mmCIF file of all heavy atoms in Angstrom:
data_model
loop_
_atom_site.group_PDB
_atom_site.id
_atom_site.type_symbol
_atom_site.label_atom_id
_atom_site.label_comp_id
_atom_site.label_asym_id
_atom_site.label_seq_id
_atom_site.Cartn_x
_atom_site.Cartn_y
_atom_site.Cartn_z
ATOM 1 N N PRO Y 987 27.565 -26.965 20.408
ATOM 2 C CA PRO Y 987 27.158 -26.022 19.170
ATOM 3 C C PRO Y 987 25.780 -25.696 18.980
ATOM 4 O O PRO Y 987 25.463 -24.680 18.340
ATOM 5 C CB PRO Y 987 27.743 -26.793 18.035
ATOM 6 C CG PRO Y 987 28.673 -27.849 18.518
ATOM 7 C CD PRO Y 987 28.140 -28.167 19.964
ATOM 8 N N SER Y 988 24.790 -26.588 19.299
ATOM 9 C CA SER Y 988 23.428 -26.443 19.023
ATOM 10 C C SER Y 988 22.889 -25.347 20.040
ATOM 11 O O SER Y 988 21.614 -24.942 19.826
ATOM 12 C CB SER Y 988 22.657 -27.705 19.122
ATOM 13 O OG SER Y 988 22.732 -28.227 20.372
ATOM 14 N N GLN Y 989 23.457 -24.968 21.181
ATOM 15 C CA GLN Y 989 22.920 -24.153 22.074
ATOM 16 C C GLN Y 989 23.991 -23.011 22.433
ATOM 17 O O GLN Y 989 24.695 -23.108 23.451
ATOM 18 C CB GLN Y 989 22.627 -24.936 23.347
ATOM 19 C CG GLN Y 989 21.566 -25.911 23.276
ATOM 20 C CD GLN Y 989 21.151 -26.613 24.466
ATOM 21 O OE1 GLN Y 989 21.872 -26.516 25.523
ATOM 22 N NE2 GLN Y 989 19.992 -27.201 24.607
ATOM 23 N N PRO Y 990 24.176 -22.172 21.545
ATOM 24 C CA PRO Y 990 25.252 -21.059 21.700
ATOM 25 C C PRO Y 990 24.907 -20.318 22.948
ATOM 26 O O PRO Y 990 23.628 -20.111 23.331
ATOM 27 C CB PRO Y 990 25.089 -20.083 20.482
ATOM 28 C CG PRO Y 990 24.163 -20.923 19.511
ATOM 29 C CD PRO Y 990 23.457 -21.907 20.288
ATOM 30 N N LEU Y 991 25.887 -19.779 23.702
ATOM 31 C CA LEU Y 991 25.622 -19.018 24.967
ATOM 32 C C LEU Y 991 26.164 -17.650 24.647
ATOM 33 O O LEU Y 991 27.239 -17.413 24.147
ATOM 34 C CB LEU Y 991 26.403 -19.665 25.936
ATOM 35 C CG LEU Y 991 26.161 -19.362 27.523
ATOM 36 C CD1 LEU Y 991 24.723 -19.705 27.758
ATOM 37 C CD2 LEU Y 991 27.126 -20.004 28.432
ATOM 38 N N THR Y 992 25.433 -16.623 24.958
ATOM 39 C CA THR Y 992 25.869 -15.216 24.738
ATOM 40 C C THR Y 992 25.718 -14.393 26.097
ATOM 41 O O THR Y 992 25.013 -14.836 26.965
ATOM 42 C CB THR Y 992 24.903 -14.523 23.711
ATOM 43 O OG1 THR Y 992 23.584 -14.593 24.138
ATOM 44 C CG2 THR Y 992 24.908 -15.098 22.322
ATOM 45 N N SER Y 993 26.424 -13.391 26.208
ATOM 46 C CA SER Y 993 26.559 -12.599 27.389
ATOM 47 C C SER Y 993 26.007 -11.201 27.088
ATOM 48 O O SER Y 993 26.172 -10.684 26.047
ATOM 49 C CB SER Y 993 27.946 -12.448 28.005
ATOM 50 O OG SER Y 993 28.428 -13.702 28.261
ATOM 51 N N HIS Y 994 25.195 -10.686 27.954
ATOM 52 C CA HIS Y 994 24.619 -9.345 27.779
ATOM 53 C C HIS Y 994 24.685 -8.590 29.191
ATOM 54 O O HIS Y 994 24.736 -9.251 30.261
ATOM 55 C CB HIS Y 994 23.137 -9.478 27.350
ATOM 56 C CG HIS Y 994 22.921 -10.233 26.037
ATOM 57 N ND1 HIS Y 994 23.274 -9.627 24.942
ATOM 58 C CD2 HIS Y 994 22.668 -11.466 25.785
ATOM 59 C CE1 HIS Y 994 23.061 -10.529 23.944
ATOM 60 N NE2 HIS Y 994 22.755 -11.641 24.548
ATOM 61 N N THR Y 995 24.435 -7.329 29.195
ATOM 62 C CA THR Y 995 24.430 -6.588 30.324
ATOM 63 C C THR Y 995 23.063 -6.691 31.044
ATOM 64 O O THR Y 995 22.073 -6.692 30.352
ATOM 65 C CB THR Y 995 24.787 -5.021 30.008
ATOM 66 O OG1 THR Y 995 24.665 -4.304 31.226
ATOM 67 C CG2 THR Y 995 23.805 -4.447 28.994
ATOM 68 N N PRO Y 996 22.982 -6.656 32.269
ATOM 69 C CA PRO Y 996 21.724 -6.863 33.040
ATOM 70 C C PRO Y 996 20.831 -5.695 32.786
ATOM 71 O O PRO Y 996 19.478 -5.719 32.989
ATOM 72 C CB PRO Y 996 22.094 -6.996 34.528
ATOM 73 C CG PRO Y 996 23.496 -7.434 34.560
ATOM 74 C CD PRO Y 996 24.066 -6.846 33.230
ATOM 75 N N LEU Y 997 21.373 -4.394 32.664
ATOM 76 C CA LEU Y 997 20.479 -3.279 32.453
ATOM 77 C C LEU Y 997 19.905 -3.305 31.047
ATOM 78 O O LEU Y 997 18.984 -2.266 30.843
ATOM 79 C CB LEU Y 997 21.272 -2.077 32.816
ATOM 80 C CG LEU Y 997 21.666 -2.075 34.349
ATOM 81 C CD1 LEU Y 997 22.606 -0.685 34.569
ATOM 82 C CD2 LEU Y 997 20.620 -2.126 35.244
ATOM 83 N N ALA Y 998 20.361 -3.871 30.006
ATOM 84 C CA ALA Y 998 19.841 -3.798 28.824
ATOM 85 C C ALA Y 998 19.942 -5.345 28.268
ATOM 86 O O ALA Y 998 20.605 -5.644 27.384
ATOM 87 C CB ALA Y 998 20.724 -2.979 27.833
ATOM 88 N N PRO Y 999 18.988 -6.135 28.866
ATOM 89 C CA PRO Y 999 19.069 -7.510 28.476
ATOM 90 C C PRO Y 999 18.508 -7.751 27.067
ATOM 91 O O PRO Y 999 17.630 -7.024 26.586
ATOM 92 C CB PRO Y 999 17.969 -8.199 29.440
ATOM 93 C CG PRO Y 999 17.152 -7.159 29.887
ATOM 94 C CD PRO Y 999 17.883 -5.894 29.850
ATOM 95 N N SER Y 1000 19.097 -8.769 26.367
ATOM 96 C CA SER Y 1000 18.859 -9.086 25.073
ATOM 97 C C SER Y 1000 18.412 -10.589 24.951
ATOM 98 O O SER Y 1000 19.188 -11.353 25.574
ATOM 99 C CB SER Y 1000 19.866 -8.803 24.282
ATOM 100 O OG SER Y 1000 19.627 -9.195 22.832
ATOM 101 N N LEU Y 1001 17.312 -10.892 24.400
ATOM 102 C CA LEU Y 1001 16.905 -12.269 24.355
ATOM 103 C C LEU Y 1001 17.296 -12.873 23.033
ATOM 104 O O LEU Y 1001 17.263 -12.123 21.999
ATOM 105 C CB LEU Y 1001 15.414 -12.347 24.613
ATOM 106 C CG LEU Y 1001 14.970 -11.951 25.941
ATOM 107 C CD1 LEU Y 1001 13.486 -11.885 26.074
ATOM 108 C CD2 LEU Y 1001 15.660 -12.783 27.124
ATOM 109 N N GLN Y 1002 17.375 -14.182 23.027
ATOM 110 C CA GLN Y 1002 17.652 -14.806 21.793
ATOM 111 C C GLN Y 1002 16.299 -15.188 21.182
ATOM 112 O O GLN Y 1002 15.409 -15.390 21.743
ATOM 113 C CB GLN Y 1002 18.368 -16.163 22.049
ATOM 114 C CG GLN Y 1002 19.697 -16.043 22.712
ATOM 115 C CD GLN Y 1002 20.648 -15.065 22.027
ATOM 116 O OE1 GLN Y 1002 20.711 -15.128 20.719
ATOM 117 N NE2 GLN Y 1002 21.338 -14.135 22.628
ATOM 118 N N THR Y 1003 16.327 -15.169 19.869
ATOM 119 C CA THR Y 1003 15.174 -15.521 18.986
ATOM 120 C C THR Y 1003 15.172 -16.856 18.403
ATOM 121 O O THR Y 1003 14.142 -17.309 17.980
ATOM 122 C CB THR Y 1003 14.829 -14.461 17.887
ATOM 123 O OG1 THR Y 1003 16.084 -14.446 17.068
ATOM 124 C CG2 THR Y 1003 14.669 -13.118 18.587
ATOM 125 N N THR Y 1004 16.306 -17.461 18.407
ATOM 126 C CA THR Y 1004 16.417 -18.955 17.826
ATOM 127 C C THR Y 1004 16.260 -19.987 19.037
ATOM 128 O O THR Y 1004 16.770 -19.839 19.942
ATOM 129 C CB THR Y 1004 17.759 -19.117 17.298
ATOM 130 O OG1 THR Y 1004 18.145 -18.025 16.423
ATOM 131 C CG2 THR Y 1004 17.949 -20.472 16.504
ATOM 132 N N PRO Y 1005 15.269 -20.796 18.770
ATOM 133 C CA PRO Y 1005 15.083 -21.939 19.781
ATOM 134 C C PRO Y 1005 16.310 -22.701 20.008
ATOM 135 O O PRO Y 1005 17.323 -22.934 19.151
ATOM 136 C CB PRO Y 1005 14.128 -22.842 19.101
ATOM 137 C CG PRO Y 1005 13.366 -22.045 18.013
ATOM 138 C CD PRO Y 1005 14.392 -21.136 17.616
ATOM 139 N N GLY Y 1006 16.507 -23.009 21.321
ATOM 140 C CA GLY Y 1006 17.746 -23.551 21.848
ATOM 141 C C GLY Y 1006 18.866 -22.831 22.250
ATOM 142 O O GLY Y 1006 19.755 -23.287 22.980
ATOM 143 N N GLN Y 1007 18.681 -21.516 22.025
ATOM 144 C CA GLN Y 1007 19.760 -20.590 22.489
ATOM 145 C C GLN Y 1007 19.581 -20.275 23.825
ATOM 146 O O GLN Y 1007 18.447 -20.143 24.381
ATOM 147 C CB GLN Y 1007 19.883 -19.342 21.532
ATOM 148 C CG GLN Y 1007 20.520 -19.656 20.190
ATOM 149 C CD GLN Y 1007 20.691 -18.315 19.359
ATOM 150 O OE1 GLN Y 1007 19.775 -17.502 19.457
ATOM 151 N NE2 GLN Y 1007 21.845 -18.157 18.750
ATOM 152 N N ARG Y 1008 20.673 -19.954 24.632
ATOM 153 C CA ARG Y 1008 20.414 -19.593 26.014
ATOM 154 C C ARG Y 1008 21.287 -18.133 26.215
ATOM 155 O O ARG Y 1008 22.138 -17.982 25.458
ATOM 156 C CB ARG Y 1008 21.174 -20.602 26.984
ATOM 157 C CG ARG Y 1008 20.583 -21.917 26.988
ATOM 158 C CD ARG Y 1008 21.400 -22.830 27.799
ATOM 159 N NE ARG Y 1008 20.784 -24.162 27.644
ATOM 160 C CZ ARG Y 1008 21.275 -25.312 28.293
ATOM 161 N NH1 ARG Y 1008 22.298 -25.177 28.995
ATOM 162 N NH2 ARG Y 1008 20.673 -26.463 28.144
ATOM 163 N N THR Y 1009 20.689 -17.446 27.147
ATOM 164 C CA THR Y 1009 21.274 -16.179 27.374
ATOM 165 C C THR Y 1009 21.842 -16.247 28.937
ATOM 166 O O THR Y 1009 21.071 -16.633 29.738
ATOM 167 C CB THR Y 1009 20.342 -15.019 27.327
ATOM 168 O OG1 THR Y 1009 19.856 -15.014 25.927
ATOM 169 C CG2 THR Y 1009 20.904 -13.689 27.554
ATOM 170 N N ARG Y 1010 23.098 -15.797 29.065
ATOM 171 C CA ARG Y 1010 23.611 -15.723 30.303
ATOM 172 C C ARG Y 1010 24.095 -14.316 30.757
ATOM 173 O O ARG Y 1010 24.833 -13.681 29.962
ATOM 174 C CB ARG Y 1010 24.767 -16.723 30.510
ATOM 175 C CG ARG Y 1010 25.407 -16.646 31.872
ATOM 176 C CD ARG Y 1010 26.418 -17.756 32.067
ATOM 177 N NE ARG Y 1010 25.609 -19.095 31.875
ATOM 178 C CZ ARG Y 1010 26.139 -20.213 32.158
ATOM 179 N NH1 ARG Y 1010 27.301 -20.346 32.413
ATOM 180 N NH2 ARG Y 1010 25.430 -21.302 32.053
ATOM 181 N N TRP Y 1011 23.600 -13.796 31.825
ATOM 182 C CA TRP Y 1011 24.061 -12.481 32.161
ATOM 183 C C TRP Y 1011 25.068 -12.405 33.162
ATOM 184 O O TRP Y 1011 25.433 -11.342 33.667
ATOM 185 C CB TRP Y 1011 22.666 -11.704 32.798
ATOM 186 C CG TRP Y 1011 21.741 -11.384 31.696
ATOM 187 C CD1 TRP Y 1011 21.842 -10.559 30.668
ATOM 188 C CD2 TRP Y 1011 20.489 -11.985 31.637
ATOM 189 N NE1 TRP Y 1011 20.662 -10.624 29.917
ATOM 190 C CE2 TRP Y 1011 19.823 -11.438 30.605
ATOM 191 C CE3 TRP Y 1011 19.731 -12.998 32.331
ATOM 192 C CZ2 TRP Y 1011 18.551 -11.789 30.031
ATOM 193 C CZ3 TRP Y 1011 18.456 -13.347 32.035
ATOM 194 C CH2 TRP Y 1011 17.842 -12.800 30.810
ATOM 195 N N GLY Y 1012 25.720 -13.490 33.518
ATOM 196 C CA GLY Y 1012 26.790 -13.538 34.537
ATOM 197 C C GLY Y 1012 26.263 -13.533 35.886
ATOM 198 O O GLY Y 1012 25.103 -13.995 36.220
ATOM 199 N N GLN Y 1013 27.144 -13.182 36.849
ATOM 200 C CA GLN Y 1013 26.736 -13.391 38.361
ATOM 201 C C GLN Y 1013 26.050 -12.080 38.680
ATOM 202 O O GLN Y 1013 26.408 -11.095 38.587
ATOM 203 C CB GLN Y 1013 28.068 -13.539 39.034
ATOM 204 C CG GLN Y 1013 27.852 -13.730 40.598
ATOM 205 C CD GLN Y 1013 27.222 -15.185 40.834
ATOM 206 O OE1 GLN Y 1013 27.579 -16.136 40.090
ATOM 207 N NE2 GLN Y 1013 26.317 -15.218 41.843
ATOM 208 N N LEU Y 1014 24.840 -12.512 39.206
ATOM 209 C CA LEU Y 1014 23.905 -11.325 39.561
ATOM 210 C C LEU Y 1014 23.672 -11.361 41.066
ATOM 211 O O LEU Y 1014 23.702 -12.401 41.775
ATOM 212 C CB LEU Y 1014 22.544 -11.461 38.930
ATOM 213 C CG LEU Y 1014 22.569 -11.579 37.420
ATOM 214 C CD1 LEU Y 1014 21.187 -11.826 36.841
ATOM 215 C CD2 LEU Y 1014 23.086 -10.080 36.853
ATOM 216 N N TYR Y 1015 23.703 -10.212 41.705
ATOM 217 C CA TYR Y 1015 23.683 -10.019 43.216
ATOM 218 C C TYR Y 1015 22.434 -9.384 43.622
ATOM 219 O O TYR Y 1015 21.854 -8.490 42.969
ATOM 220 C CB TYR Y 1015 24.917 -9.309 43.807
ATOM 221 C CG TYR Y 1015 26.174 -10.145 43.399
ATOM 222 C CD1 TYR Y 1015 27.058 -9.794 42.360
ATOM 223 C CD2 TYR Y 1015 26.530 -11.269 44.178
ATOM 224 C CE1 TYR Y 1015 28.074 -10.409 42.018
ATOM 225 C CE2 TYR Y 1015 27.756 -11.953 43.886
ATOM 226 C CZ TYR Y 1015 28.423 -11.554 42.864
ATOM 227 O OH TYR Y 1015 29.695 -12.230 42.547
ATOM 228 N N GLY Y 1016 21.967 -9.699 44.846
ATOM 229 C CA GLY Y 1016 20.736 -8.865 45.411
ATOM 230 C C GLY Y 1016 19.565 -9.062 44.515
ATOM 231 O O GLY Y 1016 19.250 -10.129 44.061
ATOM 232 N N ALA Y 1017 18.867 -7.956 44.271
ATOM 233 C CA ALA Y 1017 17.601 -8.004 43.497
ATOM 234 C C ALA Y 1017 18.034 -7.769 41.990
ATOM 235 O O ALA Y 1017 17.055 -7.674 41.187
ATOM 236 C CB ALA Y 1017 16.730 -6.907 43.938
ATOM 237 N N SER Y 1018 19.179 -7.862 41.547
ATOM 238 C CA SER Y 1018 19.422 -7.649 40.120
ATOM 239 C C SER Y 1018 18.940 -8.807 39.344
ATOM 240 O O SER Y 1018 18.449 -8.464 38.138
ATOM 241 C CB SER Y 1018 20.947 -7.523 39.898
ATOM 242 O OG SER Y 1018 21.643 -8.674 40.262
ATOM 243 N N ALA Y 1019 18.693 -9.998 39.785
ATOM 244 C CA ALA Y 1019 18.133 -11.006 38.963
ATOM 245 C C ALA Y 1019 16.651 -10.673 38.774
ATOM 246 O O ALA Y 1019 16.235 -10.915 37.547
ATOM 247 C CB ALA Y 1019 18.224 -12.380 39.703
ATOM 248 N N GLY Y 1020 15.925 -10.237 39.650
ATOM 249 C CA GLY Y 1020 14.528 -9.748 39.348
ATOM 250 C C GLY Y 1020 14.467 -8.500 38.411
ATOM 251 O O GLY Y 1020 13.590 -8.663 37.504
ATOM 252 N N LEU Y 1021 15.368 -7.631 38.401
ATOM 253 C CA LEU Y 1021 15.459 -6.622 37.477
ATOM 254 C C LEU Y 1021 15.627 -7.053 35.995
ATOM 255 O O LEU Y 1021 14.976 -6.835 35.135
ATOM 256 C CB LEU Y 1021 16.552 -5.619 37.979
ATOM 257 C CG LEU Y 1021 16.859 -4.529 36.866
ATOM 258 C CD1 LEU Y 1021 15.547 -3.484 36.671
ATOM 259 C CD2 LEU Y 1021 18.085 -3.563 37.384
#
Side-chain angles (χ1 to χ4, degrees):
S988 64
Q989 295 182 346
L991 195 62
T992 58
S993 297
H994 302 283
T995 174
L997 297 178
S1000 176
L1001 298 174
Q1002 302 303 320
T1003 56
T1004 306
Q1007 286 185 320
R1008 298 178 183 177
T1009 301
R1010 181 169 297 187
W1011 291 291
Q1013 188 66 32
L1014 301 174
Y1015 299 99
S1018 60
L1021 174 63

